[in-house]
Amino acid sequence: MNNETKPRTESRMPLYLQVAKLMRQKIESQQWRFGEQIPTLDNLVAEFEVSRITLRAALNLLEDNGIITRTRGLGTFVAKDLSEQRWFRLPNRFDELVKVVSPLKIHMLPIEPGTRVQDPAFGFDGNSTGYQRLRRVHYRENTPYCLIDIYLDQTIFDSDPEGFSQTPVVPQLAGRSDITIHQARQVLRITVSDKETASHLHIGVGDPIADVCRVFKDPSQKILYYAHIQYPAQLIQIDTDLLQNDAPQHPALT
């Protein structure tokens, strides 16, 4: 068996998650095609060299995420064509960000009391009071695009609470002549989803995600907008022009 398709016992990731990810890769690469039956449990035991208990846990995870379907007496079948997943380009310029975010749909999420607008992991410091917290899932058509936690300057939010609650925040900020965004920065890292993030993004627990912190500041260095965003990594691509030294700025940036 090719070691690239065999779970690694030295990995910190549980074996069942490793097996689930390897199975998903087979579906993404169309080794297991949409609508087709996958190998039997005995064949999977021989292929992945893990126990039946581990395999059943991996299959349960894939079934919970709608990737496979199991029917007693018939077998297990691929229920989702992962080869048709769209790749979303993660914006790396302000004007691209406005364009990408504008058509997204919003599903608001409940939040616990209290706000905080600093994340020591990324070094974005700011006033921890005077911000409105907004937590939501953004959708592109019917696909979860990201889970986002936003802290918006309270005065700005109060100027249009309905608009900021029902539509993406960034395009609204970009279109306001009374708001000056002097600095816009984002930091990205790759990590894995926890149970809550996985449920909102319709992915598996432990699946890779792009974890982004984004901050906008005014000329006095006050944070106007701070967001922690999590994207399903399998839907994201990053396209950067390494020779583009003088990219034009969006009019909102001065």
Side-chain angles (χ1 to χ4, degrees):
M1 179 178 178
N2 190 326
N3 287 334
E4 293 182 357
T5 60
K6 181 178 179 179
R8 298 168 53 195
T9 55
E10 71 274 15
S11 172
R12 293 182 179 180
M13 181 180 291
L15 276 179
Y16 82 95
L17 287 179
Q18 294 185 56
V19 173
K21 293 174 75 66
L22 292 171
M23 290 179 176
R24 184 185 180 111
Q25 289 172 7
K26 286 181 175 291
I27 297 171
E28 290 175 346
S29 64
Q30 294 193 300
Q31 295 178 58
W32 295 350
R33 295 179 179 273
F34 174 63
E36 291 184 350
Q37 184 175 6
I38 72 171
T40 64
L41 197 61
D42 287 339
N43 289 334
L44 292 174
V45 167
E47 179 173 359
F48 293 107
E49 299 181 10
V50 295
S51 69
R52 287 174 173 264
I53 293 176
T54 297
L55 278 169
R56 288 194 179 97
L59 292 170
N60 286 340
L61 180 60
L62 294 178
E63 187 174 35
D64 289 344
N65 285 279
I67 296 173
I68 63 170
T69 182
R70 290 184 285 183
T71 304
R72 185 179 297 275
L74 294 178
T76 303
F77 296 82
V78 178
K80 183 181 291 186
D81 187 356
L82 299 182
S83 68
E84 294 298 319
Q85 284 187 343
R86 290 176 300 160
W87 290 83
F88 300 144
R89 180 176 176 178
L90 187 63
N92 54 23
R93 293 207 320 263
F94 190 83
D95 55 346
E96 290 179 347
L97 178 62
V98 173
K99 182 178 180 180
V100 168
V101 170
S102 294
L104 298 180
K105 299 177 182 178
I106 289 174
H107 172 63
M108 295 293 293
L109 299 174
I111 57 175
E112 65 276 10
T115 60
R116 188 180 181 190
V117 73
Q118 58 183 4
D119 188 338
F122 291 93
F124 294 150
D125 296 326
N127 190 346
S128 61
T129 61
Y131 292 85
Q132 177 68 43
R133 186 180 179 195
L134 303 167
R135 194 161 188 265
R136 69 255 302 245
V137 178
H138 284 176
Y139 284 80
R140 184 179 293 275
E141 295 182 357
N142 295 319
T143 302
Y145 178 72
C146 67
L147 172 63
I148 181 168
D149 209 357
I150 298 169
Y151 296 87
L152 182 62
D153 177 86
Q154 190 68 53
T155 302
I156 294 176
F157 175 81
D158 289 342
S159 68
D160 187 8
E162 183 175 354
F164 285 117
S165 297
Q166 296 183 0
T167 58
V169 171
V170 171
Q172 292 192 76
L173 293 177
R176 292 274 294 264
S177 60
D178 60 326
I179 296 174
T180 299
I181 301 176
H182 180 72
Q183 184 182 88
R185 182 185 171 207
Q186 66 181 13
V187 177
L188 177 148
R189 65 179 179 178
I190 300 300
T191 182
V192 295
S193 64
D194 57 20
K195 184 176 181 180
E196 182 185 20
T197 301
S199 67
H200 289 308
L201 296 180
H202 300 175
I203 59 177
V205 176
D207 277 1
I209 57 174
D211 189 278
V212 173
C213 283
R214 182 179 298 143
V215 64
F216 300 160
K217 295 181 180 181
D218 70 7
S220 70
Q221 294 300 299
K222 178 183 178 181
I223 293 177
L224 303 176
Y225 165 98
Y226 174 89
H228 177 218
I229 313 128
Q230 295 175 306
Y231 303 88
Q234 70 267 22
L235 299 182
I236 294 295
Q237 71 173 9
I238 301 173
D239 185 357
T240 304
D241 184 351
L242 298 179
L243 295 180
Q244 185 174 359
N245 297 318
D246 298 310
Q249 289 188 325
H250 188 275
L253 295 174
T254 59

